[in-house]
Amino acid sequence: MTTGYAGTRSDRIGERLFNLVITHVPSHTLRQAWLRRFGATIGQGSSIMMRTTVFGARRLVIGNDVSIGSSVLLDARGGILVENDAVIASDVHLITGDHDPDSPDFGTRYGPVAIGHHAWIASRATVLRDVTIGAGGVVGAASLVRKDVGPLQIVAGVPAAVVGRRNSDLTYSAHFRPILT
């Protein structure tokens, strides 16, 4: 069990201001500059749409040309890595922490989430701690992912199960940065 992620007082204030104010400002540049100021690593050409919530910015690593939709929850307290050209659609939750139900003090556990290059997480999906989505993997809408997804696998459902295999050469760019979003 990994023990608590607290961050510094400055981190917590910066995170709170981001989630209450900055995430509602229609400027990719401002949102990303704010997250970088508080420790996030964000590659060139990536977009983070409005109303995205971030916890643990210092443990958030986003590659180049990544597209993150609106109203996404990025709980990076256990670490989130999103590789180049991945797409995370709107309303997705990446959750790296939970509580140990057997702990006498309701202790927290943290573990990383890794999203491979050219992976696609469809709307309203949830990916839990200690999960890797392989290169080109696809998670269907409204799915709950508790186990690793292999490269090019397509999973869907609650809990997510393999429903197919992607046929792609993974050479496209996921760059998407609309104005005022």
Side-chain angles (χ1 to χ4, degrees):
M1 174 161 69
T2 304
T3 54
Y5 168 88
T8 67
R9 185 171 196 275
S10 174
D11 289 345
R12 290 190 306 272
I13 291 169
E15 180 179 284
R16 179 67 54 96
L17 287 171
F18 178 85
N19 293 331
L20 290 174
V21 178
I22 303 301
T23 193
H24 300 285
V25 177
S27 168
H28 293 283
T29 303
L30 175 63
R31 287 192 298 275
Q32 290 184 21
W34 191 276
L35 290 172
R36 285 181 180 116
R37 162 64 181 88
F38 290 95
T41 300
I42 303 170
Q44 294 182 343
S46 291
S47 60
I48 300 172
M49 302 299 173
M50 292 172 58
R51 296 181 311 280
T52 290
T53 300
V54 176
F55 299 119
R58 289 196 184 283
R59 306 215 47 211
L60 177 62
V61 178
I62 297 171
N64 297 324
D65 296 320
V66 170
S67 177
I68 298 176
S70 64
S71 301
V72 170
L73 170 62
L74 299 172
D75 171 8
R77 295 173 296 171
I80 292 177
L81 169 64
V82 183
E83 294 182 2
N84 298 345
D85 294 300
V87 175
I88 300 173
S90 296
D91 298 309
V92 166
H93 289 183
L94 303 182
I95 301 173
T96 66
D98 65 10
H99 291 277
D100 181 354
D102 296 320
S103 169
D105 64 353
F106 201 51
T108 53
R109 304 178 291 195
Y110 295 99
V113 167
I115 310 295
H117 69 87
H118 293 91
W120 170 26
I121 315 299
S123 293
R124 298 199 174 215
T126 298
V127 179
L128 299 179
R129 70 178 176 87
D130 296 321
V131 168
T132 297
I133 309 296
V138 177
V139 175
S143 295
L144 174 64
V145 183
R146 303 182 309 177
K147 296 180 182 176
D148 291 351
V149 175
L152 299 174
Q153 281 186 333
I154 301 170
V155 300
V158 178
V162 177
V163 297
R165 183 161 180 79
R166 192 173 188 191
N167 182 19
S168 174
D169 60 10
L170 305 179
T171 58
Y172 61 87
S173 172
H175 180 82
F176 179 69
R177 196 167 176 147
I179 297 172
L180 299 177
T181 58

